[in-house]
Amino acid sequence: MKRTVWLAAAVALSPMLAHAQEVTLRLVSAFPENQFYVKRTLDWIADVNKEGKGVLQINFIGGPKAIPTFEVGKAVQTGVVDIGFSTGAFYTNVMPEADILKLSETSAAEQRKNGGYELINKIWAEKANMRYLAKVVEFTPFHLYINKKIDKPDLTGMKIRITPVYREFFQSMNAQVMTTAPGEVYTALERGVIDGYGWPIHALFDLNWQEKTKFRVDPGFYNAEVSLVMNLDKYKALSAKQREYLERKALAYEQQNDFWKSYNQSEAKRQAEAGIQTITFDAATSKDYVAKAKEIGWANAIKASPQYGEQLKKVLAK
Ligand code: 173
């Protein structure tokens, strides 16, 4: 009799036990769903889910229609979602440090060795209640794209779409700036509300901006950072096995970053083929342009984070 009761209890509980072994994490993208970034992440999720049966699954909730671009960081911080696919510039409303990673000259792989990854995680935990799982876009400069020709780095009279990435640098060239999410740039270009925008060397075509873009200013500056960030409470609540699995898969994604080197070359070529002309300054001006971007970037980083700016510089700058 007793044994039957035990058996019945075990049978009744077993689905719950199985459930306890598998966790499903909700992921949202701050980038529009039609961006190639998101396709790559969906491929990664499919792989995570295929191999993670009984351990860990990821459920893609959607892009900015589900949670607006600049709200994704808050949603991860507060646990509204478990994982955010975003870039630091989109969650400076959580902490100013988020935007400092654009100044990385060391690679994600180097930062895993030089203490950078630990420092990032210390800051992200303390100030944003986040675990920084992996950087999945790097080796990618940002550029200024404009529809009016310039012959020197002077944007007087131009209205330029920005995110925090570009703000101080473009303002230093006298631009009038306007912050928008990527999803709003096409319409702003179409309506002539902006004369240009800051954006990486790649991913114009994902959003059809080549249709409304005349010039790319070379050289590029900074280093685009896109990453997977996770709510820290949720991260801590994972079992050792689940955490190990998620970290292994996130690292494997990060280790694909060399991909961007060749992709960026093909994107530059594609821009030329689409009729986007390059504006290049003379060698001395180009050198100053890049140096000024860096100088302004770090000055602002240290001002925004007296606590961590300098420490980050040690592991990010070369
Ligand atoms: O321009 C942007 O929207 C931006 O800040 C960014 C950052 C990283 C990758 C792509 C865009």
Side-chain angles (χ1 to χ4, degrees):
M1 183 64 180
K2 243 187 190 161
R3 204 185 283 161
T4 326
V5 172
W6 266 112
L7 197 65
V11 169
L13 280 170
S14 63
M16 285 169 72
L17 289 173
H19 185 75
Q21 287 161 13
E22 185 180 279
V23 67
T24 298
L25 304 174
R26 291 156 47 88
L27 184 149
V28 73
S29 169
F31 291 96
E33 277 186 51
N34 46 349
Q35 263 196 254
F36 175 59
Y37 286 174
V38 181
K39 185 204 169 288
R40 275 186 105 229
T41 296
L42 288 173
D43 289 347
W44 175 76
I45 292 171
D47 177 64
V48 168
N49 291 349
K50 193 169 146 222
E51 278 183 46
K53 290 203 176 72
V55 180
L56 183 142
Q57 299 286 292
I58 297 178
N59 181 11
F60 179 68
I61 303 296
K65 285 196 194 86
I67 297 189
T69 297
F70 297 117
E71 298 303 322
V72 169
K74 286 265 176 218
V76 175
Q77 180 186 32
T78 57
V80 169
V81 294
D82 304 317
I83 300 179
F85 176 67
S86 188
T87 179
F90 295 166
Y91 56 95
T92 53
N93 53 354
V94 174
M95 55 166 184
E97 287 82 358
D99 185 43
I100 299 178
L101 300 184
K102 71 185 178 194
L103 301 172
S104 288
E105 290 168 326
T106 54
S107 67
E110 285 166 334
Q111 288 164 17
R112 291 213 183 226
K113 291 191 196 127
N114 72 1
Y117 186 72
E118 281 77 25
L119 177 62
I120 290 166
N121 267 303
K122 177 180 184 280
I123 301 167
W124 263 239
E126 191 180 298
K127 302 199 70 174
N129 193 40
M130 286 180 194
R131 178 78 189 170
Y132 191 93
L133 292 174
K135 184 189 286 191
V136 299
V137 176
E138 60 176 326
F139 309 125
T140 298
F142 292 104
H143 286 258
L144 166 65
Y145 296 87
I146 45 177
N147 285 329
K148 289 180 185 163
K149 198 160 190 172
I150 54 171
D151 52 17
K152 56 180 190 302
D154 182 358
L155 302 174
T156 305
M158 287 203 204
K159 192 159 185 185
I160 309 290
R161 172 271 175 185
I162 58 152
T163 67
V165 165
Y166 326 91
R167 181 175 292 121
E168 288 76 19
F169 183 43
F170 289 178
Q171 280 176 334
S172 80
M173 293 184 272
N174 266 328
Q176 193 191 333
V177 297
M178 184 178 111
T179 303
T180 83
E184 278 138 43
V185 175
Y186 186 91
T187 311
L189 286 167
E190 197 174 33
R191 295 191 182 153
V193 173
I194 52 173
D195 304 302
Y197 55 88
W199 191 246
I201 185 73
H202 60 217
L204 261 81
F205 294 89
D206 300 1
L207 302 164
N208 277 323
W209 298 354
Q210 80 285 356
E211 289 176 3
K212 307 281 170 200
T213 304
K214 291 204 178 88
F215 306 102
R216 183 186 72 239
V217 176
D218 281 356
F221 53 91
Y222 303 152
N223 188 358
E225 171 265 352
V226 175
S227 64
L228 293 165
V229 287
M230 180 168 181
N231 175 269
L232 189 62
D233 306 303
K234 195 77 184 195
Y235 174 80
K236 285 182 176 163
L238 296 178
S239 69
K241 191 178 174 186
Q242 289 164 341
R243 197 176 310 152
E244 184 278 328
Y245 179 68
L246 181 61
E247 280 181 343
R248 180 161 59 79
K249 286 296 184 185
L251 178 62
Y253 192 3
E254 181 176 289
Q255 286 170 339
Q256 304 299 311
N257 285 348
D258 269 351
F259 163 81
W260 297 109
K261 296 177 182 172
S262 55
Y263 185 74
N264 290 343
Q265 284 182 353
S266 63
E267 286 281 282
K269 196 162 161 253
R270 205 172 156 201
Q271 286 180 21
E273 284 160 9
I276 297 176
Q277 299 171 54
T278 53
I279 294 175
T280 313
F281 308 125
D282 63 62
T285 310
S286 295
K287 203 170 161 233
D288 285 353
Y289 179 83
V290 175
K292 192 174 169 194
K294 180 174 173 177
E295 193 185 307
I296 289 173
W298 279 114
N300 203 61
I302 290 159
K303 193 173 134 212
S305 182
Q307 193 184 2
Y308 290 121
E310 293 280 8
Q311 285 185 51
L312 281 165
K313 192 170 182 180
K314 288 201 178 85
V315 288
L316 303 186
K318 264 188 176 161

